């Protein structure tokens, strides 16, 4: 997991996601990216904060041809949804 401001984290948790999404600010630290280490898989999740303070989450998994964008939501809900989605991908 990596933020636009360059912070990098080896693992993810719902609590860490909640903290990092809550710390997003436009324009200096407006997104964070979650992807597997090592480049083996190509899935990723990007959480973005736009100039109107709206959150958007993009989920992409080429193996299952999943690509969806979810606009809106609160920090807690996004942290839960992203944690569940990533956990389901890692277990496959």
């Amino acid at each position: 997991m990596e933020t636009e401001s360059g912070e990098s984290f080896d693992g993810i948790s719902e609590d860490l996601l909640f903290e990092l999404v809550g710390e997003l600010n436009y324009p200096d630290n407006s997104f964070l990216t979650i992807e597997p280490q090592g480049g083996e898989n190509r899935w990723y999740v990007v959480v973005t904060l736009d100039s109107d303070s709206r959150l958007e989450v993009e989920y992409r998994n080429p193996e299952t041809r999943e690509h969806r964008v979810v606009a809106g939501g609160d920090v807690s809900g996004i942290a839960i949804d992203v944690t569940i989605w990533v956990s389901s991908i890692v277990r496959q």
Side-chain angles (χ1 to χ4, degrees), residues 52-67:
D52 293 324
S53 297
R54 291 179 297 213
L55 291 165
E56 179 178 278
V57 184
E58 177 183 6
Y59 300 87
R60 183 178 291 267
N61 183 358
E63 279 188 23
T64 61
R65 297 183 183 188
E66 178 180 7
H67 180 227

Side-chain angles (χ1 to χ4, degrees), residues 42-57:
R42 297 179 306 181
W43 63 263
Y44 65 85
V45 179
V46 178
V47 181
T48 306
L49 178 72
D50 69 15
S51 61
D52 293 324
S53 297
R54 291 179 297 213
L55 291 165
E56 179 178 278
V57 184

Side-chain angles (χ1 to χ4, degrees), residues 1-19:
M1 180 167 25
E2 187 171 339
T3 65
E4 179 181 13
S5 62
E7 288 183 281
S8 183
F9 303 86
D10 289 333
I12 71 163
S13 69
E14 184 181 328
D15 290 339
L16 179 58
L17 280 169
F18 180 84
E19 182 180 325

